[in-house]
Structure formats: C-alpha cells, structure tokens
Amino acid sequence: MNNKDEAVISVKGLTKKFGDFTAVNNISFDVEHGRIFAFLGPNGAGKTTTIKMLTTLLSPTKGRIRVNSYDPMHEKDEVRRSFGIVFQDPSLDDELTAYENMEFHAILYHVPKNIIKQRITHLLNFVGLWERRKDQVKTFSGGMKRRLEVARGLVHHPKILFLDEPTLGLDPQTRNSVWEYLKKLNKEEEMTIFFTTHYMEEAERVADMIVVIDHGKIIKTGTSKELKKETKTSSLEDAFLKLTGRKIRDENATSLDRMRLRSRVWRR
Amino acid sequence: MKGVVYAMWLRQLKRYWRSKERMIGTLAQPVLFLVALGFGFGPIFQKAGGGDYMQFLAPGIIAMSILFTSMFTGIEVIWDRQFGFLKETLVAPVPRTHIMIGRTLGGATVGVLQGTAIGIICLFFGFKITNMHYIPLALVFMFLTAVMFTALGTAIASRLQDMHAFPIIMNFLIMPLFFLSGALFPLEGLPKAVEFVARIDPFSYCVDGIRGTLNGSVHIGLATDFAVVAAATVIVLAVGSYLFSTIEI
Ligand SMILES: Nc1ncnc2c1ncn2[C@@H]1O[C@H](COP(=O)(O)OP(=O)(O)OP(=O)(O)O)[C@@H](O)[C@H]1O
Ligand SMILES: [Mg+2]
C-alpha cells in the first residue's frame, strides 16, 4: 500500500440513514495514496457524516469502507492507527492549557517522548500560540482555538489526515501558511490528505482530486481542471455553483447549520 | 497503555483541581448533612438508645460524598460530548477501554480525596476513628466505592446525548441509592420491604464497609461487604467499558 495510484481509502455503496432521513446515499469513491483529496458540497450534503463513518465514529447503514485496507466497523484499532483528524466542531478541552491539549494528544497518539517537546514547540510557534501556551483554552478567541486544533492535528504524522473544514474561521495569513505546511507534509511524508472546505479557491489551489456531493449523493468526480471544463466555467466556484445549483440548501438544513455555526461562534 | 491511562487520569485531576467552585460545592453538601442531621437527630438517637449519632453518621456522610462526587465525575462524559473533547479521545489509536479506565481512575481518585477531606472535617465535629490499623482497609473500601460509581456514571453517560436526563438520574438512581443504604440510619429492625431494598442496594455494602473499618460497628460483616463491593465494582466496570467502547457520535 505504498505506491501512488493505490487506493488508501475505498468506499463502495456507502449509505447512512438517521431514521427516515438519508444523509449519505449510496456513494462510492477511491482516494489514492499520497493525494490531496477535496470532498466538496453545500451545507448538509453529508460530508461530515461520511468522515465520521470513515473514522470509526459512526457505523454505516450500508456499504463497504476500507481505510488503509482496514474496515472501520470491524478493525477499529487498525483504522485508528492509520489516520489523524481535525474535526469541524470544537474538540479541545477548555480547562486545559494550549500546551496540555497538545501534550495529551501526543501521548494518545504515541508520539515518541524525545520528539514530543520539540514538535509541540515547533507547531505552537508555527500557529503563533507559543506565548499563550500556558493559558487555558477557554481564554482563547475562536480563531486561536481553531489554530490550536489544526496544530494539534499535526502533532503526529499519520498516513491519512482528515481535515473537516480546517480553515474555518482562520485569517488569510494563517490559512495560507497552514496549507503550505500541509503540502509539505503531503510531499515529504506521502501523507494522504482528505479535506472539506467551503472556500472553493482553496480547493482549486491544492486539491489533486475533487468529489462533489450534494443531498447525500456524489454528483461529480474529477480534477479542478476537468470540473471546469465539463461545466464550461472559469473558476471552481462557478463550476461548483453550476453543479449544485444556486438555490440555498433546504431551509431546515441551512437554518440548522447557521444555528450550529452561531453556537460555535458563541462558544468560542 | 500506562501512558494513556496516566494522561487521562491526570486530566481528570487537573479539571477537578482547577474548578474550585465545584470543589467547594461538593464539600459543602456533605458538611451540611453532617451538621443538620448530626446535631439535629443526635439527641433523639441517643434517647432511643442508638448511642452517639455523630459517630454513626460520619462514615455514612463520607460514603455519601464519594458516591456523589464519583457519579458526577462519571457523568461528566456528557459534558465532554457536548464540548466536543470526547471525539478527540474516541478516535485515538488506543483501546477505548484504556481511556475509560484512565477516566474512571481519575474520577475515583477525586472521589477518595473528597471522602478523605470529609473524613478530616468529621474529626472536628467529634467523630473518632476507633482503630487506626483499619484505616488502610477503609481507604480500600472508599476507593472501590469511588471506582464503582465513577464507572456507573460513565456507563450511563455513554448512552445519553445531553444533560436533560440528569434530574431523572439524580432522583431515581443517586438519591435512592443513598437514602436506602443505611448511610443515615441503622439497618436494624426495619420494615421487611425497606430492609430488602437496602440489601440489594450495593451502596449499603460500601457504607457498612467504611463504617465498620472506621468505627468498628458493622451490620452486615466486613468480608461480605468486601466481596459484594468488589464484585459490583468489577461488573459495573465491565459494563461501563463496553458501553463506553461502543459510543457513537
Ligand atoms: N446525528 C444526526 N441525526 C440526524 N440527522 C443528522 C445527524 N447528523 C447529521 N444529520 C443530517 O445529515 C445531513 C448531513 O449532515 P453533515 O453534517 O454530514 O453535512 P455536511 O456536508 O458536513 O454539512 P456542512 O457543510 O454544513 O458541515 C444534514 O441534513 C444533517 O441534518
Ligand atoms: Mg460538515
């Protein structure tokens, strides 16, 4: 499983129902080793739900998944050893300090003792939080918390990195340097990166491969170039709008998502 | 395994230590019980031939503080779910059982610390420990009690999405466990039904064990107490580990 072109994530006929509602509807795709893979879709499309199933947090209703050739349903430990993740929703311990959050993660992910300190120091400096390392996370601004979450996701170097809207709430400076860093990891360590974002120019810039999902179904797969060509548009944003329509997502989902976003902002 | 359990344990302790309000709150309640009941019922208890009520009550209050503190730390899993930190531990490449054990040991340590603090406060209200040699055994009982109820809180919280069910847990589980255990009154000469309930309440055996080791007055018997408390702890821990391992977000 180490050459490019081999699928490191493979999904076939994946479905997730919440009661009567089908959040993910019979989707199939492969992610090749060493790629930067963008999973795009409007609010409520089913991106986060898919990521939860790939990362052992949620069991699928139907379908077959392989992550690093393991099954997240039955080989949870092997799957968990294969990936790292930055969640869309908050996931820090507010009562711990920035440094403690990083250290806790390093221990959980078995980062060798001799490099823990050096790596945490490096990453906290990288996201500009070194001076605040001894402060409890509850005293941080929303963007600072997000920076810490991203830095924490990079403490260990997994084979696959899932990033669910990693740059949400980050300023352009941080967004750019985070992507530089990720691209470097992707190159130097052949780390496969699976990410979602609502910033189309970001996806256009970094993704080798794009899947567009809407209402739980995959509607397009290809490179940014291919998507633009097929839709006869000049930017990925236009291609995305053409593919998914200009209509704002069904009222329920959007108001819920707005609420979620608001509560997220409030909590931060 | 050691590293993960330790990290989780340490995290629970840090959270406890940093929230002084909670610490004071959980100390105040048992002290209130001790003062109100101890001095309020003391004279009647004495008249009825029960002896020194403070001497009887103090171990019950120590056990109570452990019960409440441990259950609450266990139930904290719900907060971790709502604030999102739970996800971070659930996707980590370590068996969830280890996370659960670390968490439980952390909660149990907090419980024993609280119980010890209450024990020391009791001494100021006239409680006397009759046999110093039994203190280590008392600590064993306190620790097992703390483990059992932290694990029970964790087990319940593993199946709950939010705190809405908390009053139900409080009124239908924690309170009955406490009030029907013999923490406040002797188990002698009770109506059959109450006696029966007290006998199936595992907390009764915790109370009896702690009281027996601290002031020598056992009702059930230390060996039985120990066997029941240890067995219940193992069972709850096993069930809790299973429920925690199968959490979905
Ligand atoms: N636990 C749940 N119970 C019921 N419905 C759910 C649950 N989780 C998600 N859904 C629904 O599934 C759909 C997909 O949600 P999901 O979070 O995967 O969307 P998303 O693509 O990540 O959207 P966003 O861009 O807003 O993050 C939504 O309609 C959502 O309301
Ligand atoms: Mg999402």
Side-chain angles (χ1 to χ4, degrees):
Chain A
M1 276 275 164
N2 274 319
N3 328 331
K4 283 212 170 193
D5 304 335
E6 253 182 279
V8 70
I9 300 172
S10 163
V11 171
K12 278 203 185 70
L14 185 63
T15 300
K16 179 70 194 182
K17 290 187 178 168
F18 294 109
D20 288 338
F21 177 72
T22 309
V24 174
N25 194 349
N26 193 22
I27 63 169
S28 304
F29 63 86
D30 283 337
V31 181
E32 284 154 15
H33 173 83
R35 294 299 171 96
I36 299 184
F37 178 92
F39 198 47
L40 306 180
N43 289 147
K47 303 180 296 293
T48 300
T49 307
T50 304
I51 291 181
K52 282 181 181 171
M53 291 189 281
L54 293 174
T55 55
T56 75
L57 281 175
L58 203 59
S59 51
T61 310
K62 255 207 314 266
R64 175 182 182 278
I65 306 177
R66 289 293 175 273
V67 172
N68 194 21
S69 80
Y70 299 111
D71 176 358
M73 273 304 283
H74 301 108
E75 297 162 304
K76 291 189 160 67
D77 288 341
E78 287 82 355
V79 171
R80 287 179 194 145
R81 273 196 286 276
S82 314
F83 72 82
I85 181 166
V86 173
F87 297 99
Q88 179 180 351
D89 300 322
S91 62
L92 296 166
D93 186 334
D94 278 17
E95 306 261 321
L96 296 185
T97 66
Y99 194 91
E100 285 167 343
N101 267 287
M102 298 287 274
E103 199 177 26
F104 185 84
H105 184 92
I107 296 170
L108 233 52
Y109 283 83
H110 310 294
V111 178
K113 267 218 174 74
N114 51 341
I115 61 171
I116 287 186
K117 210 170 159 190
Q118 162 218 334
R119 192 166 285 166
I120 295 179
T121 309
H122 172 70
L123 284 166
L124 283 179
N125 273 308
F126 170 65
V127 295
L129 289 174
W130 178 249
E131 261 70 57
R132 302 289 305 268
R133 67 188 177 280
K134 289 182 183 155
D135 292 342
Q136 281 182 306
V137 170
K138 62 181 171 196
T139 66
F140 283 13
S141 77
M144 285 161 69
K145 286 185 188 175
R146 195 58 182 158
R147 263 147 50 187
L148 182 60
E149 280 173 333
V150 172
R152 186 181 64 177
L154 302 173
V155 165
H156 74 300
H157 290 174
K159 197 159 175 183
I160 308 164
L161 187 57
F162 290 98
L163 304 163
D164 198 351
E165 298 189 31
T167 50
L168 179 73
L170 293 185
D171 54 39
Q173 293 87 331
T174 319
R175 233 189 298 164
N176 279 318
S177 58
V178 162
W179 273 115
E180 287 315 310
Y181 197 95
L182 289 168
K183 279 201 279 198
K184 201 167 126 228
L185 277 180
N186 166 259
K187 256 223 185 76
E188 287 172 4
E189 314 216 0
E190 292 200 3
M191 192 187 284
T192 307
I193 293 177
F194 182 119
F195 76 104
T196 77
T197 184
H198 290 299
Y199 301 114
M200 291 302 135
E201 81 288 350
E202 186 172 289
E204 186 164 10
R205 210 151 21 94
V206 301
D208 303 326
M209 188 68 189
I210 294 170
V211 160
V212 180
I213 179 173
D214 196 6
H215 298 298
K217 284 198 185 115
I218 290 182
I219 52 173
K220 210 82 204 166
T221 308
T223 61
S224 159
K225 240 195 204 129
E226 287 165 356
L227 263 55
K228 283 186 285 190
K229 206 168 149 200
E230 279 180 52
T231 52
K232 302 196 180 63
T233 49
S234 58
S235 71
L236 186 62
E237 176 136 357
D238 290 337
F240 181 83
L241 286 171
K242 207 155 185 182
L243 287 167
T244 55
R246 287 193 172 264
K247 189 170 143 283
I248 288 184
R249 291 306 112 181
D250 48 293
E251 257 56 72
N252 283 333
T254 28
S255 61
L256 193 84
D257 281 319
R258 276 203 215 102
M259 233 162 62
R260 253 181 25 200
L261 203 69
R262 214 173 303 138
S263 78
R264 188 185 164 91
V265 171
W266 271 111
R267 254 188 275 166
R268 274 164 185 257
Chain B
M1 154 156 192
K2 239 173 52 201
V4 172
V5 172
Y6 173 71
M8 206 63 219
W9 174 84
L10 191 63
R11 181 232 175 203
Q12 294 302 108
L13 253 69
K14 279 179 180 161
R15 285 178 71 88
Y16 169 68
W17 188 247
R18 282 175 194 172
S19 137
K20 300 279 187 271
E21 299 90 342
R22 195 178 73 168
M23 205 191 284
I24 292 166
T26 40
L27 281 174
Q29 191 198 25
V31 172
L32 181 66
F33 266 74
L34 193 72
V35 172
L37 297 179
F39 294 119
F41 284 120
I44 301 178
F45 196 79
Q46 190 105 39
K47 247 183 235 158
D52 182 352
Y53 188 49
M54 193 55 91
Q55 194 66 6
F56 176 85
L57 181 67
I61 297 298
I62 293 172
M64 165 192 150
S65 75
I66 298 175
L67 169 72
F68 278 70
T69 312
S70 305
M71 274 297 250
F72 290 166
T73 358
I75 288 173
E76 242 187 37
V77 171
I78 298 180
W79 290 127
D80 282 351
R81 185 197 283 266
Q82 288 198 320
F83 283 98
F85 182 72
L86 188 63
K87 296 192 289 277
E88 154 82 356
T89 58
L90 292 183
V91 293
V94 287
R96 286 190 185 174
T97 318
H98 295 181
I99 307 262
M100 150 82 184
I101 289 173
R103 188 184 254 296
T104 304
L105 288 179
T109 307
V110 170
V112 172
L113 287 175
Q114 285 274 359
T116 309
I118 293 296
I120 293 168
I121 292 173
C122 287
L123 297 177
F124 289 103
F125 285 102
F127 175 59
K128 280 177 229 55
I129 297 173
T130 49
N131 192 341
M132 293 295 172
H133 299 303
Y134 276 103
I135 288 181
L137 195 54
L139 285 171
V140 170
F141 271 110
M142 286 162 68
F143 180 70
L144 287 176
T145 305
V147 171
M148 186 194 322
F149 291 108
T150 311
L152 183 61
T154 310
I156 295 168
S158 296
R159 283 296 172 271
L160 297 177
Q161 297 296 325
D162 49 44
M163 273 293 179
H164 295 317
F166 187 70
I168 297 183
I169 301 167
M170 193 69 192
N171 291 316
F172 287 90
L173 187 71
I174 305 182
M175 287 302 183
L177 277 172
F178 168 55
F179 279 115
L180 299 170
S181 67
L184 302 180
F185 49 79
L187 294 176
E188 277 110 23
L190 294 175
K192 276 276 169 293
V194 180
E195 161 126 41
F196 174 75
V197 175
R199 279 294 182 146
I200 57 170
D201 176 357
F203 187 57
S204 300
Y205 300 83
C206 302
V207 170
D208 199 57
I210 293 171
R211 184 176 288 137
T213 46
L214 286 181
N215 71 12
S217 85
V218 265
H219 174 70
I220 302 167
L222 284 185
T224 316
D225 290 337
F226 184 78
V228 173
V229 173
T233 303
V234 171
I235 292 169
V236 176
L237 207 50
V239 173
S241 295
Y242 171 75
L243 291 176
F244 188 80
S245 306
T246 51
I247 292 182
E248 292 209 334
I249 296 281

